[in-house]
């Protein structure tokens, strides 16, 4: 198998990502609170950022300055998603949360206004303006006071709120009846199933310039090694494939084999993805 044009960084829309989209749509549509939980590295953050178009919008929102014509694609993307994505600092206090969210809310709303077909329409009166969904990643980092603030803002604004965290976050939230009673959906984000893993590997094989054929002994052995080493962890899989690409290039190889996979794994810390 000849290795041609390589690219391992493009987004892959897995079944679990599509389920997250359905979950986020439901939270947004019903103005409720949703909990998303799953092990580290399975794709929760990636899916959330994709849903909010945050990879596109974040550079503009972070470096807030003079506008350029190229920013129109950001306006359009945020006007479609109506979502804000935020990751708090460790042990984030109420003061830090408010300081971070205030300018972010203002900037996202400014972009949404620019992206609307009829920007002259009356602005929303919610504390979050035109934003319809707030996604908080690493929600375990929030203090109890910060969580109560979010609950209060949720009550006042009529928006959807998603809290993303590790397994067990739903139990922690259960200790706060005022917040937990407002939870409308709980979504578990699991590691890739065998079927999903084959789907993702097929895409990666293509981007490495080859075609995955599980009836081929070499491909089958390589795929089995990847499954064993990653356990279906999406982030670890991405890192491993990037190293496989490196091994192929350095050694001027044209075939993805179990030895290539093992050599790539040797350059990584294989264990719990962080």
């Amino acid at each position: 198998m000849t290795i041609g044009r390589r690219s391992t960084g493009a987004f892959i829309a897995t079944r679990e990502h599509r389920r997250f989209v359905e979950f986020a749509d439901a939270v947004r549509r019903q103005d409720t609170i949703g909990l998303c939980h799953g092990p580290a590295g399975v794709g929760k953050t990636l899916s959330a950022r994709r849903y909010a178009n945050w990879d596109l919008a974040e550079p503009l929102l972070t470096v807030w300055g003079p506008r350029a014509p190229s920013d129109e694609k950001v306006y359009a993307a945020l006007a479609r998603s109506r979502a804000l994505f935020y990751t708090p600092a460790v042990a984030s206090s109420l003061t830090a949360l408010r300081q971070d969210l205030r300018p972010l809310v203002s900037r996202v709303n400014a972009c949404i206004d620019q992206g609307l077909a009829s920007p002259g329409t009356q602005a929303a009166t919610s504390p979050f303006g035109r934003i319809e969904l707030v996604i908080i990643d690493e929600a375990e980092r929030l203090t109890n006071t910060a969580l109560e603030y979010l609950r209060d803002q949720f009550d006042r604004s009529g928006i959807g709120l998603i809290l993303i965290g590790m397994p067990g976050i739903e139990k922690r939230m259960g200790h706060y009846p005022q917040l937990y009673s407002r939870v409308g959906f709980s979504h578990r984000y699991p590691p890739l199933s065998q079927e999903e893993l084959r789907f993702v590997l097929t895409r990666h094989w293509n981007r490495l310039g080859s075609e995955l054929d599980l009836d081929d002994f070499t491909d089958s052995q390589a795929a089995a090694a990847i499954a064993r080493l990653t356990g279906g962890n999406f982030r670890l899989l991405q890192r491993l494939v990037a190293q496989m690409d490196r091994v192929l290039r350095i050694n001027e190889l044209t075939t993805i084999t179990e030895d290539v996979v093992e050599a790539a794994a040797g350059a990584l810390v294989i264990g719990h993805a962080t």
Side-chain angles (χ1 to χ4, degrees), residues 27-126:
V27 172
R28 173 182 169 184
R29 185 169 54 249
Q30 298 191 25
D31 301 333
T32 188
I33 296 177
L35 298 180
C36 176
H37 49 94
V42 294
K44 304 184 300 296
T45 299
L46 191 63
S47 285
R49 290 179 66 90
R50 180 75 172 187
Y51 185 91
N53 294 311
W54 214 246
D55 286 345
L56 176 64
E58 187 174 39
L60 174 62
L61 297 171
T62 302
V63 184
W64 193 249
R67 302 279 70 86
S70 59
D71 295 334
E72 291 180 2
K73 59 186 178 182
V74 177
Y75 306 152
L78 290 176
R80 288 193 305 271
S81 71
R82 300 290 187 99
L84 181 152
F85 177 91
Y86 172 70
T87 304
V90 176
S92 185
S93 66
L94 173 58
T95 300
L97 179 67
R98 296 179 69 174
Q99 287 177 345
D100 287 347
L101 283 181
R102 188 177 296 114
L104 193 56
V105 168
S106 175
R107 293 172 185 181
V108 170
N109 270 292
C111 289
I112 293 174
D113 284 339
Q114 289 292 321
L116 290 175
S118 301
T121 56
Q122 185 177 2
T125 57
S126 158

Side-chain angles (χ1 to χ4, degrees), residues 243-254:
Q243 287 297 324
M244 287 165 53
D245 184 28
R246 177 174 174 272
V247 170
L248 290 167
R249 289 179 180 274
I250 290 175
N251 295 282
E252 299 181 352
L253 299 173
T254 59

Side-chain angles (χ1 to χ4, degrees), residues 251-269:
N251 295 282
E252 299 181 352
L253 299 173
T254 59
T255 304
I256 303 170
T257 65
E258 183 178 7
D259 288 339
V260 168
V261 175
E262 295 288 353
L268 299 176
V269 178

